Amino acid sequence: MDGRLRYIGYQVQGPQIYRRLAKLVERGWIEFEVDPRDGGPDAKVYSLTEEGREALWEWARSPYQPSPRLADPDFVLRFLFAGLLDRDIAISVVRTELEYRLNDASPTGTLDEVSADFRPQLPEIDPAWARQLFISAHEYGFSQHASYITWLQLTLARLQNHRTI
């Protein structure tokens, strides 16, 4: 997860993974076999149980609800891992996320909400300067949102046009 997979959206540490694996074993969703290693500690090789496979499919097929948070980790996980199970799930998740983001988008990216009479609480802050900073921060967020929408549109088109062999 520190290498090429770091862009998937999660930064996890080894202890987090092992705690989660232990919980999945407790639930009966995964099992493991010990793989003896010469010169080092034995390894555990994990695999899904039938119950785990059913839970995975249940999660994958459950309705996806977008989060107000842009590029929420749940979207990334659902898109990637549920999408691996079924191409229609990947397309549906991207389409749902895109529709949500388009409905949430500012059509122009302008920020009219920072009124001209905006007064910072501290007297040493210049209101005109503060207004410019607020507008710039808004434009940064808007550009991130617009870029994300563009990625969703490109991804949806790519997935819909993909032909399986």
Side-chain angles (χ1 to χ4, degrees):
M1 296 304 285
D2 290 334
R4 292 182 298 212
L5 294 178
R6 71 183 175 272
Y7 296 115
I8 290 178
Y10 273 107
Q11 295 179 357
V12 297
Q13 305 297 319
Q16 292 172 298
I17 294 170
Y18 292 116
R19 281 193 301 271
R20 181 61 61 189
L21 286 171
K23 288 182 181 181
L24 294 173
V25 169
E26 283 178 26
R27 287 185 172 171
W29 291 355
I30 63 173
E31 58 192 7
F32 65 88
E33 292 182 13
V34 176
D35 183 16
R37 304 289 169 102
D38 293 333
D42 294 343
K44 291 181 179 177
V45 178
Y46 292 88
S47 59
L48 278 174
T49 63
E50 188 56 38
E51 188 178 344
R53 187 172 264 96
E54 290 171 15
L56 177 61
W57 275 102
E58 183 179 324
W59 167 77
R61 291 180 178 133
S62 67
Y64 170 67
Q65 297 294 322
S67 166
R69 193 170 134 200
L70 196 64
D72 186 70
D74 184 50
F75 165 76
V76 176
L77 286 175
R78 182 83 58 135
F79 166 68
L80 181 57
F81 294 111
L84 285 171
L85 297 172
D86 185 322
R87 119 187 248 282
D88 290 337
I89 291 173
I91 291 169
S92 175
V93 167
V94 172
R95 184 178 291 123
T96 301
E97 182 78 0
L98 177 59
E99 288 170 3
Y100 181 87
R101 298 302 160 198
L102 287 171
N103 287 333
D104 190 46
S106 166
T108 63
T110 61
L111 180 65
D112 300 323
E113 293 84 28
V114 179
S115 65
D117 63 344
F118 171 75
R119 298 281 178 236
Q121 296 296 311
L122 300 174
E124 60 268 23
I125 296 176
D126 174 10
W129 178 248
R131 181 169 165 56
Q132 292 308 308
L133 290 177
F134 274 97
I135 289 170
S136 291
H138 167 78
E139 289 169 343
Y140 170 76
F142 175 80
S143 70
Q144 296 296 309
H145 197 262
S147 175
Y148 185 56
I149 286 172
T150 300
W151 176 83
L152 288 166
Q153 291 169 328
L154 291 169
T155 299
L156 182 59
R158 181 182 305 111
L159 297 178
Q160 289 174 327
N161 292 325
H162 178 77
R163 306 265 188 261
T164 56
I165 297 174

